[in-house]
Amino acid sequence: MQIVRALLTRLITTLITLFGAAIIVFVVIRVVPGNPIAMMLPPGASEADIDRLKALYGLDKGIFEQFVIWISNVVQGDFGTSITLRQPVYDLVIGRLPATLELSVMALLIAVVIGGAAALTATLYRGSKVEGGIDVAGGIALSLPDFLWGLALILLFGVLWPLFHISGRISPSLGFEFSTNFYLFEALARFRFDVVLDLMGHMLMPALALAIPLAAIILQLLKQSLKECMHDDYITLARTKGYAESSIILRDALPNAILPTLTLIGVQFTFLIGGTVIIERLFSYEGLGNMAIDAVINRDLPLIQGIVLIFALLFTMVNLVVDMAYAALNPRLRHA
Amino acid sequence: MSFLSIQDLTVQLKNGMPLLRHVSLDVAPGEVRALVGESGAGKSMIGKAVLGILPKAARLTGGKILLDGEDLQTLSQKARRQRIGARAALIPQDPLTALNPSRRVGPQITDRLVDILGWKRPDAEKRALELLEEVHIQSPDRVMKAYPHELSGGMRQRILIASAFAAEPKLIIADEPTTALDVTVQKQILKLIREMQQRHGTALLFVTHDLGVVSKIAQSLTVLYAGKVIEETTVKDFFAAPSHAYSKALLAATPKYTDPQGSLTPVPESVITAVEAEVAAFDEQARAGTRP
């Protein structure tokens, strides 16, 4: 019963958040300079042509009226039609979403594995040169933003030592027919490991570029929390029982140290999803972010609105998952 | 033959400052020895050295610790850890922080039996239930499944006592086990430790600053000052007539329950000066190698 109520509260706040996001994006993209009509018509088009097009897309109406029309359509599941691509926004966004989801989740996994392993190793060898080395590596990883890591990776593993593909999501020469847009997931499920390999060859560099700064943040916070835990009395007691340092860190310290990191990962993951916009552009990866940049360049208002709404929905979902994981991991919160 | 024999133990900080100065003491099987001294005297440090949990800044620089006749320093790190885990146990000072908050109570009692001593899990669980009953915990099966935050401080100390006795160790080191508890619970816990110690015939090294507690639980005691053994005697002799001036002053400084209004007597300045001089002379002898 409590769970039902908590979920209901959550649903309502999510809806309010999304409505707020809808208002903001709607107003902002109409306030910034540039309009889609100018992008569609050749220079020197007549006033009459411009007015006709404006009327066609409803842009001649007041901003409030436009919003009401749009939001009432959205509620009914109609996100409008892209001005430049002339397809339903819903289909476009849903078509591209899996690519971005796969990329973000891959980046998150890489960041958690690298950052977590580095933090645990540094804790095990605390006070030694190993810890110093890990700290230095973490500092370097954190000092550059994701897109610069992307450029560095392209230079390193795309040009100097061409290990990976530098653009796209899959090699067209593969000629593999997907029935969903979750390419990686589908290739795995169908045991087509040649396809998986090709997908990974495309995805690894952009994912790594997104993951490196996040891994460094995870490393720093988790290492700090672990270090504090290692002074706790239950750790000392576990030592007297005969346990090795490594199993004490994993079994006793980690579950107590992980909670702040978990919250941080949630917040940082939403930043990472935002980061896909530039990274997808950099690697010509056919995801939502890449589409968002095209939409902005072309002032494709319905498409921008659709993409931003989907991003807002993703962010609230991530926060929900983090809260649930937090409750699952912390016994003191479970009954609260 | 004593179960724990500490011989000439010296522990220093990394910068050379001594924490324990050539400490020797023995605890026979079934014996309860109290370690007393003011804070900073090194009484907890002895327990930590025996259990292999010295703080990172401290180092064992001399002497031997024999556990059941075996010199711990000659063992590999792993062997030493497991030997200590199997033969000795700690009853910690603060029950509120000594249980892992994110693990259920049951596994925290059984883990040593299963992971270090290779028991089968059902056997270890059965043993844990028996022990919880022994420490007078009602509905032990429910407590096994509880998280530490769901239990009171007194309950948690009972669990830690049960856990310490789980592997039937020959030696238990209790590091001021009642200091963090309120007075009414203190008495019960003290009684419980005494009762468990007698039933299991365990040697007990009881670290405390409270001479009132010493008289209730121990047969012998060692008085420490600045990491040096000042006096080693039986509890009976100590309370009848302590031989060292510092011990006398310590005994005089203990508040009397019979005279709650009475003012507190601090250890006199002259006694402190004398004992400081004694420690300094001892250091000098140790350096010159002329110490008997």
Side-chain angles (χ1 to χ4, degrees):
Chain A
M1 205 52 225
Q2 249 180 347
I3 291 173
V4 175
R5 251 180 72 181
L7 280 178
L8 213 66
T9 322
R10 206 51 203 237
L11 189 69
I12 292 166
T13 50
T14 304
L15 286 176
I16 294 172
T17 310
L18 289 179
F19 188 71
I23 294 176
I24 291 168
V25 62
F26 197 88
V27 171
V28 166
I29 60 175
R30 275 165 181 73
V31 169
V32 294
N35 73 69
I37 306 300
M39 305 299 292
M40 294 164 76
L41 288 170
S46 69
E47 275 304 313
D49 284 344
I50 293 176
D51 287 344
R52 212 156 44 77
L53 258 185
K54 270 194 176 168
L56 182 65
Y57 288 107
L59 295 170
D60 53 340
K61 299 189 173 73
I63 187 167
F64 182 72
E65 198 181 340
Q66 285 185 41
F67 181 74
V68 171
I69 294 171
W70 177 63
I71 204 79
S72 54
N73 284 338
V74 165
V75 170
Q76 291 162 43
D78 176 11
F79 288 77
T81 306
S82 158
I83 296 177
T84 44
L85 300 169
R86 293 170 209 285
Q87 287 176 48
V89 167
Y90 181 82
D91 295 351
L92 288 168
V93 169
I94 292 302
R96 285 288 186 100
L97 179 62
T100 297
L101 279 181
E102 283 191 349
L103 178 63
S104 320
V105 171
M106 176 66 71
L108 179 69
L109 287 179
I110 294 174
V112 168
V113 169
I114 295 179
L120 291 170
T121 312
T123 308
L124 185 58
Y125 296 104
R126 59 193 181 287
S128 77
K129 286 198 179 105
V130 177
E131 190 195 2
I134 288 175
D135 281 344
V136 170
I140 294 171
L142 203 56
S143 61
L144 291 182
D146 47 13
F147 57 90
L148 282 182
W149 280 114
L151 288 173
L153 287 169
I154 288 176
L155 189 66
L156 222 67
F157 299 115
V159 180
L160 291 177
W161 188 26
L163 260 182
F164 302 117
H165 304 279
I166 55 172
S167 78
R169 191 178 175 200
I170 188 166
S171 305
S173 57
L174 224 57
F176 185 71
E177 286 296 320
F178 289 99
S179 47
T180 70
N181 283 327
F182 287 98
Y183 287 2
L184 187 62
F185 207 71
E186 189 181 339
L188 277 170
R190 284 162 67 174
F191 299 110
R192 285 295 301 270
F193 296 111
D194 54 326
V195 181
V196 171
L197 213 64
D198 184 78
L199 286 165
M200 290 298 281
H202 285 90
M203 194 192 275
L204 219 49
M205 275 206 294
L208 209 54
L210 288 166
I212 288 171
L214 179 55
I217 296 174
I218 293 174
L219 158 66
Q220 287 190 342
L221 185 67
L222 185 58
K223 198 186 91 167
Q224 186 57 40
S225 321
L226 279 171
K227 231 178 189 172
E228 280 163 23
C229 276
M230 292 312 282
H231 296 297
D232 286 349
D233 289 348
Y234 54 83
I235 299 284
T236 310
L237 191 62
R239 284 210 180 95
T240 69
K241 288 178 177 175
Y243 283 97
E245 191 75 1
S246 52
S247 60
I248 290 174
I249 292 174
L250 281 178
R251 195 197 62 182
D252 291 297
L254 186 59
N256 290 301
I258 206 163
L259 293 174
T261 309
L262 201 68
T263 316
L264 179 91
I265 289 175
V267 176
Q268 291 292 328
F269 186 49
T270 56
F271 290 151
L272 186 149
I273 294 174
T276 59
V277 173
I278 295 175
I279 291 296
E280 285 181 6
R281 192 64 167 189
L282 194 60
F283 288 88
S284 308
Y285 185 89
E286 291 129 28
L288 261 186
N290 211 345
M291 185 187 255
I293 291 186
D294 283 332
V296 170
I297 289 173
N298 296 319
R299 298 291 185 272
D300 193 336
L301 303 183
L303 189 52
I304 300 175
Q305 285 156 202
I307 292 172
V308 171
L309 268 194
I310 239 355
F311 272 127
L313 185 65
L314 271 184
F315 290 2
T316 52
M317 286 296 140
V318 169
N319 286 329
L320 180 64
V321 170
V322 168
D323 286 355
M324 291 192 319
Y326 207 94
L329 284 176
N330 188 350
R332 273 167 293 190
L333 279 182
R334 219 165 286 163
H335 310 292
Chain B
M1 177 66 191
S2 49
F3 185 76
L4 169 70
S5 176
I6 297 174
Q7 297 169 6
D8 221 16
L9 180 70
T10 301
V11 170
Q12 290 174 309
L13 282 180
K14 289 230 165 92
N15 62 15
M17 152 129 170
L19 298 176
L20 293 178
R21 300 163 198 255
H22 303 276
V23 169
S24 297
L25 64 85
D26 290 78
V27 189
E31 179 189 357
V32 180
R33 173 173 292 276
L35 266 177
V36 298
E38 36 191 293
S39 37
K43 49 195 193 304
S44 289
M45 206 54 72
I46 294 176
K48 287 187 173 129
V50 172
L51 292 168
I53 49 170
L54 282 175
K56 280 222 149 158
R59 248 183 330 192
L60 205 155
T61 51
K64 278 189 204 168
I65 300 170
L66 303 180
L67 197 60
D68 205 6
E70 190 173 27
D71 186 349
L72 290 178
Q73 289 340 101
T74 61
L75 297 172
S76 75
Q77 221 177 19
K78 188 180 172 200
R80 187 186 329 154
R81 215 171 52 215
Q82 292 180 340
R83 204 79 91 238
I84 293 168
R87 294 181 185 172
L90 170 73
I91 299 176
Q93 177 168 11
D94 187 353
L96 299 183
T97 56
L99 287 166
N100 188 333
S102 61
R103 297 176 65 207
R104 289 177 198 277
V105 164
Q108 301 197 53
I109 303 174
T110 57
D111 55 3
R112 181 197 325 240
L113 300 175
V114 175
D115 299 334
I116 308 295
L117 299 166
W119 286 39
K120 289 203 178 62
R121 190 166 298 279
D123 296 343
E125 273 163 15
K126 206 170 138 237
R127 167 92 176 133
L129 285 172
E130 287 166 11
L131 280 161
L132 287 179
E133 264 173 45
E134 253 190 79
V135 296
H136 313 298
I137 281 179
Q138 264 102 48
S139 54
D141 40 348
R142 218 192 58 228
V143 169
M144 292 268 284
K145 292 194 195 83
Y147 283 96
H149 71 271
E150 297 165 339
L151 306 167
S152 70
M155 281 275 263
R156 288 191 232 182
Q157 192 59 294
R158 282 169 196 276
I159 288 161
L160 286 163
I161 291 166
S163 173
F165 281 91
E168 212 59 75
K170 296 276 177 52
L171 170 73
I172 283 183
I173 295 174
D175 188 1
E176 309 217 20
T178 56
T179 313
L181 301 168
D182 62 63
V183 187
T184 48
V185 184
Q186 267 184 19
K187 268 192 181 164
Q188 299 168 13
I189 293 295
L190 202 63
K191 201 173 138 232
L192 178 67
I193 293 176
R194 179 87 181 116
E195 182 188 313
M196 291 290 281
Q197 181 270 333
Q198 280 177 340
R199 186 179 311 147
H200 293 262
T202 321
L204 178 62
L205 191 60
F206 197 97
V207 178
T208 182
H209 60 259
D210 186 344
L211 287 172
V213 167
V214 172
S215 64
K216 290 195 192 76
I217 196 160
Q219 292 110 43
S220 54
L221 92 167
T222 301
V223 183
L224 286 165
Y225 183 86
K228 181 189 176 306
V229 175
I230 294 293
E231 177 164 8
E232 195 187 336
T233 177
T234 63
V235 168
K236 222 166 123 193
D237 291 349
F238 181 84
F239 284 98
S243 60
H244 196 282
Y246 176 73
S247 308
K248 280 189 189 118
L250 210 58
L251 195 55
T254 308
K256 309 276 181 300
Y257 292 110
T258 47
D259 181 18
Q261 303 303 318
S263 59
L264 292 171
T265 332
V267 176
E269 202 68 41
S270 59
V271 175
I272 297 282
T273 318
V275 74
E276 289 280 3
E278 192 183 324
V279 169
F282 180 81
D283 276 357
E284 198 54 52
Q285 279 176 354
R287 250 196 304 280
T290 54
R291 203 172 54 82

